[in-house]
């Protein structure tokens, strides 16, 4: 019998009225697929307070309280795999990897191989245990099709401190993005709220209220007709923040088929986390880590005539 790991207390708002219970829960808990959420409900691990029986297809009325019981992770056969990694920094506490595009960060239900975690387990023997057996060392994430730098904790001490640093926003992350169109303002600060898109709840969008504050700073560093290369700094870390803000400006990221349109010029969104600046979580040493641009990003820049001298 698996032990209870935690009980999550979720709140359905008025705007969630009419949403299926399984859809709502899968959207609220990162990494949970709809099918896995359905199994949680069928196993009576999801409760709508005041309702005797819940089913995956229950339609929410809004303003419900929903309790989700999370059991301890099953001991999954997460196997170390000899997958090449671009390790740009490593010491006894942390390792920084320049993630290639197309790689998922950690195993999920029904997807146990080919992830960054599988690769890390081959290259790094000691990893922090705070995130559990499925996500050893993982402190933060990048979307599957976003490339770039990601910090992995080797010790629990480093993991806890890094978590605080991300929360306190003392880790500066700088991205490069190739966007469609040119910008009137060559440098600007975007501040608004981001929340679920009620037309498509798998997506995020800029909302007037009941969202979470999102702040993005961008600077155009090169442009040609119809395309711009941006350097982007985040003051907050909301889901899909850069992609949502570029759509909001009607300057979607090239190749982003979720917040823009698919493109023959790029097979994935042209977004790359290229620089990290922070104080080492244990030693306090000031670090500035820069990762090489992936080949597909460089090719698209060359094809479009964009230049970057960073």
């Amino acid at each position: 019998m698996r032990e209870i790991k935690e009980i999550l207390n979720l709140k359905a708002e008025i705007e969630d009225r009419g949403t299926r219970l399984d859809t709502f829960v899968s959207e609220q808990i990162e990494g949970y697929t709809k099918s896995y959420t359905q199994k949680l409900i069928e196993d009576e691990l999801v409760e709508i307070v005041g309702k005797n029986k819940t089913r995956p297809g229950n339609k929410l009325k809004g303003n419900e309280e929903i309790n989700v019981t999370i059991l301890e992770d099953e001991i999954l056969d997460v196997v170390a795999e000899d997958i090449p990694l671009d390790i740009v920094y490593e010491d006894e506490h942390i390792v920084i990897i320049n993630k290639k595009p197309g790689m998922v960060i950690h195993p999920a239900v029904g997807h146990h191989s080919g992830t960054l975690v599988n690769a890390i387990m081959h290259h790094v023997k000691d990893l922090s245990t705070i995130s559990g057996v499925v996500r050893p060392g993982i402190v933060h994430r990048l979307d599957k099709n976003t490339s770039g730098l990601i910090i992995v904790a080797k010790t629990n001490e480093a993991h806890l401190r890094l978590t605080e640093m991300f929360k306190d926003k003392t880790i500066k992350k700088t991205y490069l993005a190739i966007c469609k169109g040119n910008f009137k303002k060559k440098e600007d600060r975007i501040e608004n709220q981001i929340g679920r898109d009620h037309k498509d709840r798998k997506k995020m969008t800029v909302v007037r209220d009941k969202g979470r504050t999102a702040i993005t700073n961008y600077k155009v560093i090169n442009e040609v007709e119809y395309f711009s290369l941006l350097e982007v700094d985040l003051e907050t870390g909301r889901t899909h923040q850069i992609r949502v803000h570029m759509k909001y400006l009607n300057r979607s990221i090239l190749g982003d088929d979720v917040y823009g349109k698919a493109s023959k010029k790029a097979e994935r969104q042209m977004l790359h986390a290229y620089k990290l600046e922070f104080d080492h979580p244990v030693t306090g040493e000031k670090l500035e880590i820069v990762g090489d641009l992936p080949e597909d990003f460089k090719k698209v820049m060359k094809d479009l005539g964009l230049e970057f001298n960073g």
Side-chain angles (χ1 to χ4, degrees), residues 117-185:
V117 163
N118 294 104
I120 292 171
M121 289 175 63
H122 174 83
H123 294 277
V124 181
K125 301 308 177 186
D126 296 313
L127 294 166
S128 74
T129 59
I130 289 173
S131 290
V133 297
V134 179
R135 293 171 291 198
I138 300 302
V139 183
H140 66 119
R141 299 171 178 81
L142 291 174
D143 293 339
K144 175 183 176 182
N145 288 324
T146 297
S147 55
L149 299 175
I150 186 164
I151 311 171
V152 176
K154 298 173 72 172
T155 65
N156 286 352
E157 178 187 10
H159 193 131
L160 289 171
R161 180 63 186 131
L162 284 168
T163 299
E164 292 176 358
M165 292 166 68
F166 274 108
K167 184 177 180 180
D168 296 339
K169 303 177 182 61
T170 55
I171 296 177
K172 183 179 180 182
K173 297 183 289 183
T174 304
Y175 292 75
L176 292 179
I178 300 174
C179 295
K180 295 180 180 179
N182 297 141
F183 291 72
K184 290 183 179 179
K185 293 183 178 180

Side-chain angles (χ1 to χ4, degrees), residues 211-256:
R212 304 180 70 187
T213 298
I215 304 172
T216 300
N217 299 289
Y218 76 84
K219 178 170 64 175
V220 177
I221 54 177
N222 193 217
E223 62 182 2
V224 294
E225 190 174 12
Y226 305 125
F227 298 98
S228 301
L229 178 65
L230 270 59
E231 185 176 81
V232 185
D233 294 326
L234 298 179
E235 292 186 35
T236 57
R238 308 306 178 207
T239 302
H240 300 168
Q241 180 173 319
I242 298 174
R243 298 164 67 189
V244 171
H245 274 166
M246 291 305 108
K247 178 186 177 182
Y248 172 73
L249 295 179
N250 196 30
R251 294 292 181 267
S252 60
I253 295 174
L254 179 64
D256 189 343

Side-chain angles (χ1 to χ4, degrees), residues 25-195:
V25 174
S26 65
E27 290 170 349
Q28 295 296 313
I29 307 176
E30 186 176 355
Y32 279 39
T33 63
K34 189 172 180 179
S35 60
Y36 186 65
T37 299
Q38 289 171 347
K39 186 176 186 305
L40 285 180
I41 297 169
E42 290 164 358
D43 290 344
E44 299 184 352
L45 294 173
V46 178
E47 172 201 18
I48 299 177
V49 176
K51 191 176 182 67
N52 293 329
K53 180 71 175 178
T54 58
R55 295 180 175 82
N58 284 147
K59 296 292 183 67
L60 299 178
K61 297 178 180 179
N63 289 327
E64 291 105 325
E65 292 182 14
I66 300 167
N67 296 326
V68 182
T69 300
I70 306 296
L71 301 179
E72 289 289 350
D73 291 327
E74 294 182 78
I75 299 177
L76 300 176
D77 188 18
V78 182
V79 178
E81 299 178 39
D82 188 5
I83 301 171
L85 285 179
D86 180 10
I87 297 175
V88 296
Y89 177 90
E90 183 175 11
D91 61 25
E92 60 184 309
H93 304 287
I94 63 174
V95 57
I96 300 177
I97 295 160
N98 195 14
K99 184 184 86 71
K100 65 181 181 181
M103 177 176 272
V104 175
I105 296 295
H106 59 75
V109 177
H111 188 82
H112 294 163
S113 65
T115 73
L116 184 69
V117 163
N118 294 104
I120 292 171
M121 289 175 63
H122 174 83
H123 294 277
V124 181
K125 301 308 177 186
D126 296 313
L127 294 166
S128 74
T129 59
I130 289 173
S131 290
V133 297
V134 179
R135 293 171 291 198
I138 300 302
V139 183
H140 66 119
R141 299 171 178 81
L142 291 174
D143 293 339
K144 175 183 176 182
N145 288 324
T146 297
S147 55
L149 299 175
I150 186 164
I151 311 171
V152 176
K154 298 173 72 172
T155 65
N156 286 352
E157 178 187 10
H159 193 131
L160 289 171
R161 180 63 186 131
L162 284 168
T163 299
E164 292 176 358
M165 292 166 68
F166 274 108
K167 184 177 180 180
D168 296 339
K169 303 177 182 61
T170 55
I171 296 177
K172 183 179 180 182
K173 297 183 289 183
T174 304
Y175 292 75
L176 292 179
I178 300 174
C179 295
K180 295 180 180 179
N182 297 141
F183 291 72
K184 290 183 179 179
K185 293 183 178 180
K186 304 308 179 186
E187 188 169 350
D188 201 8
R189 182 176 188 266
I190 309 164
E191 179 174 359
N192 48 36
Q193 294 186 52
I194 286 178

